Amino acid sequence: MTARPPRRDGTPIAPRASSAREIDRRFRAAVEVARAAGRLMRRHFRAGIRFTLKGPQDFLTAADREVERLVIRRLAKAFPEDSFIGEEGGGSSGTSTWVIDPIDGTANFARGLPRFCISIAWMEGDEVKLGVVYDPILDELFAARAGKGATVNGRRLRVSGETRLRRATIELGWSSRQPPGIYAANLERVLQAGASFRRAGSGALGMADVAAGRTDGYFEVHINA
C-alpha cells in the first residue's frame, strides 16, 4: 500500500492530472485483471465454498482474500506508486487510488447462488476516473471511463427511461449496518407508489442493471466504497 507523502509543511500534494494515455493504460489493466479475478472466482465457486461470518449476515470466504491479493499484486506491479483500498485488506487513499471489492455478493457466492461480481475503480484524488464490474458467471463486463460513457461487453449502456413508478422495478439493497425498520419503511414506500421491487444481493450488479436498463432504480441506505 503506497501513497504520495504530504509536503514538509503537512499539506497534501494535489493530484497530477493524468493524460488520456495513462488513463487508458489503467483502464486496460483493470479490464484484464477483472477477467483474471473472474476466472479464479469461477474455480472456487465450482469447487464448493466454505465461509465464515464477520458479523450478522456478513460473509467471508477464502476466495475473497485470494481474489483481492491477485488484483492488488497485478495492479501494484503495473502501477507501483498507486495506493489501494480493498474490502478485506483495507488500505488508505492517495493521489492515485484503486478501490477493490473482490467479491460483491459474497453471501450469494458462499451459498452457491450465481449472482456476484468483482468491482474495481480507480480514483485520481477524490474523482473516480474509471470503473469495471465483472460478472464471471454470465461473462458480462461492465466498464466506464469519466466522460466516455459506459459499456457492457463493448456495447453502449442505456437506462430504461421509465419515469412512472407504477411501471418501474426498483432494487432495494439491504445492509445489516442499518436498523431493519429503515429497510421496511423504504420497501413500503416503493410498494405504496405502485412499483415492483427486488433484492438480488449485489449492489455493484444492481447499479449495473440500472445502467443497462434492466431495472429502473437502485436504492440502499448505506453502502461502502
Side-chain angles (χ1 to χ4, degrees), residues 198-219:
R198 67 192 297 243
R199 178 177 178 266
S202 168
L205 286 177
M207 289 183 279
D209 282 343
V210 177
R214 298 168 181 172
T215 57
D216 306 297
Y218 182 91
F219 177 79

Side-chain angles (χ1 to χ4, degrees), residues 94 145 149 181:
R145 282 175 283 184

Side-chain angles (χ1 to χ4, degrees), residues 40 50 92 97 111 116-117 123-124 146 149-150 155 175 179 186:
L40 177 58
R50 293 182 179 180
S92 60
T97 307
R111 294 188 178 279
F116 52 86
C117 67
M123 300 177 65
E124 190 170 45
R155 303 187 306 274
S175 169
N186 284 305

Side-chain angles (χ1 to χ4, degrees), residues 9 64 68 92 101 135 154 162 165 180 185 193 210 213 217:
D9 63 4
D64 286 271
E68 187 170 296
S92 60
D101 188 345
D135 178 341
E162 182 59 67
L165 277 170
V210 177

